[in-house]
Amino acid sequence: MPEPLFTDTLHFAGEQLRALIKRHPDFYPMYTAGGKWKHTGEAWTHWCDGFLPGMMWILAGRDRGWVEPAVRYSKPLEPRQHDRNVHDLGFIFMSTYRRWLELTGEPALNDVLIQAGRTMALRFREKGEYLRSFMAEDSLFIDIMMNAGIIFYAARETGDAALRDVALRHSLTTRRVLVRGDGSTSHEGIFDTATGEFLKQTTQQGYRGDSCWSRGLAWAIYGFGTCYEYTGDGRFLATAEACARYYIEHTGEGGVPPWDFDAPAESRKLLDTSAAAIAASGLLQLARLAQNPLYDTVARRTLSTLCQNHTAAGDAAWEGILKGGVYHLHKNLGVNESVMWGEYFFVEALDRALGK
Ligand code: GLY
């Protein structure tokens, strides 16, 4: 009976969040070090600030007591609607302002979402037809599929066909160059900026350019599903399902994937619970879009495993919700720790699985 387990875990998540905002008011953590949110480890890039208030908005859907802190933590993000330095405006604003808008219907919130979508679209490179990553002009990340959605959203809200075209062409390019025939994904693609020619698959956070970094695959399941939801284009549903098949076949009964499916055997013992949480939420979305109960079953099984074996319940010293996430192994950042996106997508998936 997973429902009480999910309800109890969502309750535990709320308790951990309350403790966090009491201990470190107005602090936006990214990953823990030894289970503690406050430390001096580097950020690498600033993409996570929406996840803490995003969880508050999810909880506010069940308990209006969360609205006040959710507003307090969301408002400081508003200037980032103009942030040209990251490719993560979907992560930052769809988790916060979109949820805020859905709960309150305040029209001014939509202006922020639309501007964030327009800013995100400025990353588009005609030569190569992709939204460039924060790394460099020639770089495309699989993660950006999670952020194309805010451009589709802004296009839909404004009727701006050029905006929609940017998101569509980016998604088609990503599908062509980063998703392989077996449904696995590469983390990063490199282009010739002069000609737009695609040069090679590579990686920042995965094991190798030709490997499948599990979180990148989870971003693809979720991101291409979202893309299908906005476009109704069956190519994106097929891509999301191919990625889901690869994920399900290679993750197996254990329910939590290794940090990279192609890392050497010893290294594969290091799991990434954040990939499992993202995949669970993306599979719940895909179950609805594809009308396929298999994805729902796998998502619920994954959530049960996370709830039973991977939360910090029972470890009073640990400040996070979900243990065992991996941020950047090569830089030794957030390895086997709680990570903010893992927390967010875990809470989102639990909320989705429980329904209203
Ligand atoms: N760079 C986004 C991620 O770590 O998944």
Side-chain angles (χ1 to χ4, degrees):
M1 276 292 287
E3 271 68 17
L5 181 61
F6 295 174
T7 308
D8 290 351
T9 307
L10 205 52
H11 179 74
F12 170 67
E15 285 179 346
Q16 292 297 82
L17 289 185
R18 264 192 208 97
L20 165 60
I21 62 180
K22 190 165 171 213
R23 195 180 293 120
H24 304 300
D26 302 317
F27 172 57
Y28 295 76
M30 193 174 207
Y31 58 90
T32 60
K36 309 290 183 207
W37 286 118
K38 204 145 202 179
H39 52 79
T40 54
E42 67 161 296
W44 187 44
T45 170
H46 293 272
W47 62 290
C48 290
D49 292 354
F51 295 135
L52 175 56
M55 281 186 277
M56 297 176 190
W57 284 116
I58 295 169
L59 295 175
R62 297 177 181 275
D63 169 1
R64 291 294 191 271
W66 280 102
V67 170
E68 185 278 321
V71 170
R72 182 155 50 85
Y73 276 75
S74 296
K75 269 200 173 139
L77 304 181
E78 193 170 319
R80 296 197 64 189
Q81 65 189 296
H82 302 290
D83 187 345
R84 305 273 312 261
N85 292 323
V86 298
H87 56 240
D88 305 297
L89 298 184
F91 282 133
I92 293 168
F93 287 99
M94 296 302 260
S95 58
T96 54
Y97 275 68
R98 177 83 193 276
R99 293 186 180 281
W100 187 357
L101 176 65
E102 277 169 2
L103 211 65
T104 66
E106 291 170 34
L109 300 170
N110 214 25
D111 299 340
V112 176
L113 285 161
I114 290 167
Q115 180 55 52
R118 289 198 185 285
T119 304
M120 186 66 206
L122 296 173
R123 309 190 75 77
F124 191 69
R125 293 191 54 91
E126 279 296 334
K127 284 189 175 155
E129 301 189 291
Y130 60 96
L131 297 157
R132 56 154 293 189
S133 83
F134 83 99
M135 291 288 298
E137 290 290 316
D138 64 354
S139 159
L140 161 70
F141 274 20
I142 191 72
D143 323 21
I144 300 174
M145 278 312 300
M146 291 294 285
N147 297 284
I150 196 163
I151 305 179
F152 281 122
Y153 176 85
R156 193 187 70 194
E157 292 300 299
T158 57
D160 185 334
L163 264 187
R164 187 177 187 282
D165 195 49
V166 159
L168 191 66
R169 285 155 75 202
H170 167 83
S171 303
L172 287 170
T173 300
T174 306
R175 175 178 178 271
R176 179 171 62 80
V177 304
L178 295 187
V179 183
R180 308 187 185 109
D182 62 358
S184 69
T185 51
S186 171
H187 182 200
E188 188 184 23
I190 301 295
F191 290 80
D192 180 328
T193 52
T195 63
E197 183 190 352
F198 178 67
L199 298 177
K200 62 174 181 180
Q201 296 184 346
T202 181
T203 193
Q204 296 293 325
Q205 287 157 280
Y207 173 60
R208 260 185 359 202
D210 62 346
S211 75
C212 184
W213 175 52
S214 61
R215 192 159 67 252
L217 183 68
W219 293 141
I221 296 168
Y222 198 138
F224 281 108
T226 303
C227 186
Y228 172 67
E229 183 145 42
Y230 277 109
T231 61
D233 185 327
R235 289 174 292 182
F236 297 125
L237 181 62
T239 303
E241 291 203 83
C243 295
R245 257 194 312 277
Y246 186 95
Y247 179 88
I248 292 167
E249 279 168 16
H250 290 77
T251 300
E253 293 293 309
V256 180
W259 72 280
D260 189 301
F261 290 105
D262 299 300
E266 193 55 30
S267 180
R268 281 205 309 275
K269 289 182 184 157
L270 178 67
L271 307 179
D272 181 6
T273 56
S274 78
I278 297 156
S281 200
L283 287 170
L284 288 171
Q285 171 180 256
L286 196 56
R288 174 173 55 77
L289 296 172
Q291 290 290 299
N292 185 340
L294 169 71
Y295 304 135
D296 189 82
T297 303
V298 175
R300 286 172 193 275
R301 195 170 65 213
T302 303
L303 286 176
S304 295
T305 301
L306 292 177
C307 292
Q308 278 161 355
N309 303 331
H310 297 278
T311 74
D315 182 348
W318 196 275
E319 294 178 359
I321 301 162
L322 189 60
K323 288 182 165 182
V326 179
Y327 181 21
H328 200 313
L329 184 58
H330 309 305
K331 287 180 176 284
N332 197 24
L333 304 177
V335 178
N336 202 13
E337 295 286 347
S338 292
V339 293
M340 256 308 149
W341 58 94
E343 313 280 77
Y344 173 81
F345 287 101
F346 186 40
V347 166
E348 181 186 75
L350 289 169
D351 183 66
R352 278 186 176 168
L354 285 167
K356 286 299 161 211

